[in-house]
PDB file of all heavy atoms in Angstrom:
ATOM      1  N   PHE A 352     -30.207-104.067 -29.548  1.00 96.00           N
ATOM      2  CA  PHE A 352     -30.431-104.470 -30.945  1.00 96.00           C
ATOM      3  C   PHE A 352     -29.133-105.026 -31.519  1.00 96.00           C
ATOM      4  O   PHE A 352     -28.051-104.771 -30.971  1.00 96.00           O
ATOM      5  CB  PHE A 352     -30.930-103.289 -31.791  1.00 96.00           C
ATOM      6  CG  PHE A 352     -29.989-102.113 -31.773  1.00 96.00           C
ATOM      7  CD1 PHE A 352     -29.003-101.981 -32.737  1.00 96.00           C
ATOM      8  CD2 PHE A 352     -30.070-101.136 -30.782  1.00 96.00           C
ATOM      9  CE1 PHE A 352     -28.115-100.921 -32.718  1.00 96.00           C
ATOM     10  CE2 PHE A 352     -29.179-100.065 -30.753  1.00 96.00           C
ATOM     11  CZ  PHE A 352     -28.206 -99.957 -31.718  1.00 96.00           C
ATOM     12  N   ARG A 353     -29.274-105.783 -32.629  1.00 95.00           N
ATOM     13  CA  ARG A 353     -28.090-106.423 -33.224  1.00 95.00           C
ATOM     14  C   ARG A 353     -27.687-105.792 -34.544  1.00 95.00           C
ATOM     15  O   ARG A 353     -26.549-105.912 -34.980  1.00 95.00           O
ATOM     16  CB  ARG A 353     -28.346-107.915 -33.478  1.00 95.00           C
ATOM     17  CG  ARG A 353     -28.784-108.663 -32.249  1.00 95.00           C
ATOM     18  CD  ARG A 353     -27.668-109.551 -31.715  1.00 95.00           C
ATOM     19  NE  ARG A 353     -28.010-110.035 -30.388  1.00 95.00           N
ATOM     20  CZ  ARG A 353     -27.136-110.178 -29.401  1.00 95.00           C
ATOM     21  NH1 ARG A 353     -25.859-109.889 -29.594  1.00 95.00           N
ATOM     22  NH2 ARG A 353     -27.516-110.596 -28.227  1.00 95.00           N
ATOM     23  N   ASP A 354     -28.651-105.169 -35.234  1.00 95.00           N
ATOM     24  CA  ASP A 354     -28.318-104.516 -36.507  1.00 95.00           C
ATOM     25  C   ASP A 354     -29.217-103.292 -36.686  1.00 95.00           C
ATOM     26  O   ASP A 354     -30.074-103.024 -35.843  1.00 95.00           O
ATOM     27  CB  ASP A 354     -28.473-105.492 -37.681  1.00 95.00           C
ATOM     28  CG  ASP A 354     -29.842-106.147 -37.692  1.00 95.00           C
ATOM     29  OD1 ASP A 354     -30.803-105.546 -37.156  1.00 95.00           O
ATOM     30  OD2 ASP A 354     -29.964-107.274 -38.215  1.00 95.00           O
ATOM     31  N   VAL A 355     -29.014-102.574 -37.784  1.00 96.00           N
ATOM     32  CA  VAL A 355     -29.739-101.315 -37.961  1.00 96.00           C
ATOM     33  C   VAL A 355     -31.250-101.515 -37.980  1.00 96.00           C
ATOM     34  O   VAL A 355     -32.001-100.733 -37.404  1.00 96.00           O
ATOM     35  CB  VAL A 355     -29.272-100.599 -39.250  1.00 96.00           C
ATOM     36  CG1 VAL A 355     -30.168 -99.408 -39.558  1.00 96.00           C
ATOM     37  CG2 VAL A 355     -27.851-100.113 -39.075  1.00 96.00           C
ATOM     38  N   SER A 356     -31.678-102.590 -38.608  1.00 97.00           N
ATOM     39  CA  SER A 356     -33.109-102.858 -38.647  1.00 97.00           C
ATOM     40  C   SER A 356     -33.647-103.074 -37.227  1.00 97.00           C
ATOM     41  O   SER A 356     -34.752-102.638 -36.893  1.00 97.00           O
ATOM     42  CB  SER A 356     -33.362-104.067 -39.540  1.00 97.00           C
ATOM     43  OG  SER A 356     -34.601-104.624 -39.245  1.00 97.00           O
ATOM     44  N   GLY A 357     -32.836-103.709 -36.398  1.00 98.00           N
ATOM     45  CA  GLY A 357     -33.212-103.913 -35.004  1.00 98.00           C
ATOM     46  C   GLY A 357     -33.258-102.622 -34.212  1.00 98.00           C
ATOM     47  O   GLY A 357     -33.873-102.557 -33.142  1.00 98.00           O
ATOM     48  N   LEU A 358     -32.591-101.607 -34.704  1.00 98.00           N
ATOM     49  CA  LEU A 358     -32.671-100.283 -34.076  1.00 98.00           C
ATOM     50  C   LEU A 358     -33.884 -99.516 -34.613  1.00 98.00           C
ATOM     51  O   LEU A 358     -34.616 -98.875 -33.867  1.00 98.00           O
ATOM     52  CB  LEU A 358     -31.376 -99.495 -34.361  1.00 98.00           C
ATOM     53  CG  LEU A 358     -31.334 -98.023 -33.923  1.00 98.00           C
ATOM     54  CD1 LEU A 358     -31.533 -97.872 -32.416  1.00 98.00           C
ATOM     55  CD2 LEU A 358     -29.991 -97.377 -34.315  1.00 98.00           C
ATOM     56  N   VAL A 359     -34.106 -99.612 -35.929  1.00 98.00           N
ATOM     57  CA  VAL A 359     -35.121 -98.775 -36.579  1.00 98.00           C
ATOM     58  C   VAL A 359     -36.542 -99.282 -36.333  1.00 98.00           C
ATOM     59  O   VAL A 359     -37.445 -98.489 -36.060  1.00 98.00           O
ATOM     60  CB  VAL A 359     -34.824 -98.660 -38.093  1.00 98.00           C
ATOM     61  CG1 VAL A 359     -35.973 -97.977 -38.820  1.00 98.00           C
ATOM     62  CG2 VAL A 359     -33.525 -97.891 -38.307  1.00 98.00           C
ATOM     63  N   GLN A 360     -36.755-100.607 -36.428  1.00 98.00           N
ATOM     64  CA  GLN A 360     -38.133-101.121 -36.320  1.00 98.00           C
ATOM     65  C   GLN A 360     -38.795-100.787 -34.981  1.00 98.00           C
ATOM     66  O   GLN A 360     -39.905-100.259 -34.969  1.00 98.00           O
ATOM     67  CB  GLN A 360     -38.183-102.634 -36.609  1.00 98.00           C
ATOM     68  CG  GLN A 360     -37.776-103.034 -38.029  1.00 98.00           C
ATOM     69  CD  GLN A 360     -38.508-102.262 -39.120  1.00 98.00           C
ATOM     70  OE1 GLN A 360     -39.691-101.943 -38.975  1.00 98.00           O
ATOM     71  NE2 GLN A 360     -37.820-101.914 -40.203  1.00 98.00           N
ATOM     72  N   PRO A 361     -38.132-101.058 -33.847  1.00 98.00           N
ATOM     73  CA  PRO A 361     -38.760-100.658 -32.578  1.00 98.00           C
ATOM     74  C   PRO A 361     -38.963 -99.139 -32.485  1.00 98.00           C
ATOM     75  O   PRO A 361     -39.972 -98.688 -31.950  1.00 98.00           O
ATOM     76  CB  PRO A 361     -37.758-101.138 -31.525  1.00 98.00           C
ATOM     77  CG  PRO A 361     -36.979-102.216 -32.196  1.00 98.00           C
ATOM     78  CD  PRO A 361     -36.887-101.809 -33.632  1.00 98.00           C
ATOM     79  N   ALA A 362     -38.014 -98.359 -33.040  1.00 98.00           N
ATOM     80  CA  ALA A 362     -38.166 -96.903 -33.000  1.00 98.00           C
ATOM     81  C   ALA A 362     -39.437 -96.488 -33.736  1.00 98.00           C
ATOM     82  O   ALA A 362     -40.195 -95.641 -33.269  1.00 98.00           O
ATOM     83  CB  ALA A 362     -36.934 -96.221 -33.610  1.00 98.00           C
ATOM     84  N   LYS A 363     -39.693 -97.116 -34.880  1.00 98.00           N
ATOM     85  CA  LYS A 363     -40.925 -96.831 -35.618  1.00 98.00           C
ATOM     86  C   LYS A 363     -42.145 -97.087 -34.743  1.00 98.00           C
ATOM     87  O   LYS A 363     -43.087 -96.292 -34.723  1.00 98.00           O
ATOM     88  CB  LYS A 363     -41.025 -97.723 -36.862  1.00 98.00           C
ATOM     89  CG  LYS A 363     -40.149 -97.311 -38.016  1.00 98.00           C
ATOM     90  CD  LYS A 363     -40.451 -98.250 -39.176  1.00 98.00           C
ATOM     91  CE  LYS A 363     -39.680 -97.851 -40.425  1.00 98.00           C
ATOM     92  NZ  LYS A 363     -39.950 -98.775 -41.527  1.00 98.00           N
TER      93      LYS A 363
END
Side-chain angles (χ1 to χ4, degrees):
F352 57 92
R353 305 254 168 218
D354 53 26
V355 171
S356 160
L358 173 60
V359 171
Q360 296 309 324
K363 284 184 176 179

